[in-house]
Amino acid sequence: MASPPRASTTGLCCPLAREAVRLSADRPGLGLRASTLLLLAEVLHKRNGPLAGLEELELAHALLVREVGEDHPAHEEYLQEVLTRANERGDNEKAIETSAKLIELLRRNGSARGPREAVTLANVSSAQMALGLHEEGLASLDRADDIFRDVLGEDYTDRAGLLNNRGAILIAMGRLDDARETMNLARTLFEARLGPGTEATAVSQLNL
């Protein structure tokens, strides 16, 4: 019987593709179909952009869900891939929906309050702000900040950037005093890390 095609080791779908190939040992038909679909999705995405290959990706995912269940860690990578594509094409509603699913899966798998959840929350805040969901965007950033500080320490590397984004949301909400306080802290962190007069510091000052 023919061996299933292998997805590239650097492909975005590679964790799910590896799972499909593993399954092919016991279920050759399922593994062959899933890994073929994943490889096709990867090729179409690279060739034609974020809208291409999504149907193939979803079909492959459905096949694997039937075999390993929805809580398998490989599905974290699947949801991350769907989220990446949604962000690439500016589909904010899909990004918010997928982020919620990814965070729920991380929690079910015992990976909550880790860097991946924090990154997901920080990223989804941009989609929430774009849709005018300022309260939700602010809550996402604050949760991300809490997790990062717990895991990485009070002055983690990207905190200044996160605070800068938080300040932008506060400005949009009309909470100017809170925004100024947040931006001042962001500027202090930028200057401590990069030195005064840098481009990042200038951006924070402009927002003030």
Side-chain angles (χ1 to χ4, degrees):
M1 182 174 292
S3 298
R6 293 182 176 275
S8 93
T9 55
T10 58
L12 294 173
C13 306
C14 140
L16 278 178
R18 284 199 300 268
E19 186 61 22
V21 171
R22 185 192 69 76
L23 289 171
S24 68
D26 298 323
R27 303 285 184 86
L30 176 70
L32 179 61
R33 283 189 295 155
S35 56
T36 299
L37 286 165
L38 287 164
L39 184 57
L40 179 58
E42 180 185 339
V43 170
L44 290 171
H45 181 211
K46 288 181 177 179
R47 220 178 249 181
N48 301 323
L51 290 175
L54 195 55
E55 181 178 356
E56 289 78 9
L57 185 66
E58 297 284 358
L59 287 172
H61 179 246
L63 287 171
L64 294 176
V65 164
R66 287 194 319 207
E67 183 65 21
V68 298
E70 292 186 356
D71 288 345
H72 193 281
H75 298 304
E76 295 175 15
E77 305 300 334
Y78 158 76
L79 289 170
Q80 185 61 60
E81 169 65 4
V82 174
L83 178 57
T84 297
R85 289 171 179 240
N87 287 330
E88 285 179 0
R89 64 179 184 269
D91 188 343
N92 295 311
E93 291 181 351
K94 184 68 172 180
I96 292 171
E97 174 191 340
T98 305
S99 294
K101 290 179 180 178
L102 177 55
I103 289 170
E104 178 59 29
L105 180 58
L106 290 170
R107 289 173 179 169
R108 291 203 303 268
N109 285 336
S111 302
R113 292 196 66 79
R116 172 164 278 186
E117 180 180 358
V119 169
T120 301
L121 286 165
N123 288 338
V124 78
S125 68
S126 297
Q128 291 166 325
M129 187 175 178
L131 293 177
L133 303 173
H134 298 133
E135 292 285 354
E136 292 86 343
L138 184 62
S140 293
L141 278 181
D142 286 346
R143 282 169 59 199
D145 187 42
D146 285 344
I147 295 170
F148 277 134
R149 283 187 290 151
D150 283 348
V151 175
L152 303 176
E154 194 69 24
D155 295 329
Y156 60 89
T157 302
D158 295 325
R159 190 170 191 221
L162 187 147
L163 289 172
N164 204 52
N165 292 341
R166 186 179 192 275
I169 293 180
L170 289 168
I171 290 172
M173 295 171 69
R175 293 172 53 180
L176 301 184
D177 289 341
D178 291 337
R180 184 178 297 276
E181 181 180 349
T182 298
M183 291 294 190
N184 278 329
L185 178 54
R187 183 175 62 184
T188 298
L189 292 173
F190 275 132
E191 289 180 345
R193 191 166 300 278
L194 303 173
T198 63
E199 182 179 352
T201 303
V203 170
S204 184
Q205 288 174 324
L206 282 174
N207 285 326
L208 290 173

